[in-house]
Amino acid sequence: MAVVKVTDLAYVRVRSPDLKATGQFLTDFGLIEVKSTKTELRFRGLGPEPEILIAEAGDRGLAAIGFAVAAREELDRFAATVQAEVCEHDGLGGGWRVAAHDPDGNRIELVCGVAQADPLQVPGPLMNEGRDRLRRRGEVRRPKEGPSHVLRLGHIVLTTPRPEELARWYREMFGFLVSDVIYQGSKDNVLLSFNRLDRGEEYVDHHVFQTLAGPPGGIHHISFEVLDIDDLYVGNTYLSKRGYRHMWGIGRHKQGSQIFDYWIEPSGIMYEHWTDTDLLNAEWTPGVEPVDATQGPWGPPPPPDFITQVG
């Protein structure tokens, strides 16, 4: 039995040595700036979350991961477990917060009672596709040049020398469920652990939290959902023209099935656009596969520095 059951990944806070450059990249990436000071930038997507990424001045790295729980009682239970205090949350939506650290020293913030914002609408025609080729009848599709449209925060991947042990801590604390495990050599040598929310019969993203073999306390990447594959390609062209460093893509993953595109923000943190993921509920049986079975059905193979990338 988990200590609490997390309902969603609420936000990620990162540190950047150059907030101006980071802010420009995140805007070009498709995030929407909602508050700025000399030491902090806050961003949202099109969804109802008041903020999904916060960039703070400082040495590059992870400042905190924010997870949401459904009730104040969950915060109180977690606070008692980790011997911490419940305090008012200083985020844009208010609410309550408890802060703690995982075994690798990463700061975790549990929040509840955060007021939602009004979703933002981006009108646009649907795609005529093979099995539903008349969805856009009488309407032309003319995408404009510009950033992708970020809908929401999807998942975060942390590096750690103990991928399975760290993932187990999160499962025991927050009720995550295993979706897929990738190993090298023996099944005990876990390289990647994909974990999703447990909402019972409700279907959720294939993974919201992932661990990857590497140094402790590092961000491998932070991932955001965009409108569709057309929107993802529009963003790829826009970021390319502005000279940002492209890491990997466009392709389709095997585990999770997302169509993906990875970019490096000027300070060195990697961000992913994705669309079209597997949706699973609590009945899913985890997949366990060797590392050489991870290549997706199409797209280029990952460059060597993708695996070793740490932000």
Side-chain angles (χ1 to χ4, degrees):
M1 180 70 70
V3 173
V4 297
K5 189 164 286 189
V6 160
T7 59
D8 210 348
L9 174 61
Y11 56 84
V12 176
R13 292 201 287 114
V14 298
R15 293 186 302 270
S16 168
D18 187 342
L19 276 184
K20 183 178 180 181
T22 293
Q24 186 62 59
F25 169 84
L26 293 173
T27 299
D28 291 341
F29 190 76
L31 291 165
I32 301 164
E33 185 178 301
V34 288
K35 184 178 180 180
S36 65
T37 68
K38 291 181 179 180
T39 60
E40 184 182 77
L41 304 174
R42 293 176 181 256
F43 296 86
R44 65 172 291 180
L46 298 179
E49 299 81 10
E51 55 191 347
I52 56 178
L53 188 79
I54 301 99
E56 306 172 355
D59 294 336
R60 181 190 75 192
L62 177 67
I65 309 172
F67 293 107
V69 294
R72 173 64 188 264
E73 290 77 12
E74 299 264 38
L75 285 191
D76 292 336
R77 188 181 313 122
F78 182 70
T81 301
V82 299
Q83 298 183 330
E85 296 288 334
V86 178
C87 64
E88 291 187 4
H89 180 43
D90 60 358
L92 296 182
W96 300 92
R97 184 183 73 202
V98 175
H101 290 84
D102 71 16
D104 277 9
N106 301 301
R107 180 179 168 95
I108 307 300
E109 298 176 353
L110 258 61
V111 298
C112 76
V114 176
Q116 298 294 277
D118 292 331
L120 303 176
Q121 300 298 320
V122 175
L126 299 171
M127 285 189 174
N128 288 331
E129 297 173 325
R131 285 177 292 185
D132 194 1
R133 59 181 301 273
L134 297 178
R135 288 194 302 174
R136 200 177 74 246
R137 51 188 176 272
E139 191 175 4
V140 297
R141 189 176 179 97
R142 301 290 188 269
K144 296 180 180 179
E145 180 178 338
S148 292
H149 294 87
V150 168
L151 296 172
R152 63 186 179 97
L153 175 62
H155 60 263
I156 185 170
V157 183
L158 299 183
T159 63
T160 173
R162 304 173 301 278
E164 176 55 25
E165 289 85 347
L166 185 62
R168 187 183 305 120
W169 184 87
Y170 277 82
R171 293 193 290 266
E172 292 171 353
M173 281 290 179
F174 304 136
F176 294 153
L177 301 175
V178 184
S179 296
D180 278 291
V181 173
I182 305 301
Y183 65 89
Q184 185 170 42
S186 74
K187 293 183 178 180
D188 293 333
N189 185 25
V190 173
L191 294 184
L192 300 112
S193 176
F194 297 84
N195 300 267
R196 69 187 184 281
L197 301 170
D198 180 4
R199 292 185 183 167
E201 295 182 357
E202 182 181 349
Y203 287 90
V204 299
D205 289 355
H206 174 271
H207 57 283
V208 70
F209 177 78
Q210 182 184 343
T211 55
L212 171 68
I219 303 171
H220 185 260
H221 69 270
I222 306 170
S223 183
F224 298 86
E225 183 181 11
V226 299
L227 285 175
D228 53 28
I229 188 170
D230 198 42
D231 193 52
L232 186 142
Y233 267 98
V234 167
N236 174 281
T237 299
Y238 190 76
L239 292 168
S240 295
K241 287 183 176 179
R242 275 144 189 80
Y244 294 112
R245 180 185 168 199
H246 187 236
M247 172 59 81
W248 183 30
I250 297 170
R252 185 181 280 278
H253 285 308
K254 180 177 182 182
Q255 284 76 22
S257 300
Q258 298 96 336
I259 298 172
F260 63 84
D261 196 27
Y262 292 90
W263 292 85
I264 305 295
E265 178 265 327
S267 77
I269 294 176
M270 184 158 64
Y271 291 86
E272 178 190 15
H273 283 147
W274 64 264
T275 187
D276 188 27
T277 188
D278 294 335
L279 297 173
L280 311 174
N281 64 16
E283 297 180 2
W284 174 257
T285 300
V288 180
E289 294 189 285
V291 67
D292 57 4
T294 59
Q295 180 64 30
W298 58 267
D305 50 349
F306 174 81
I307 304 301
T308 58
Q309 165 70 27
V310 181

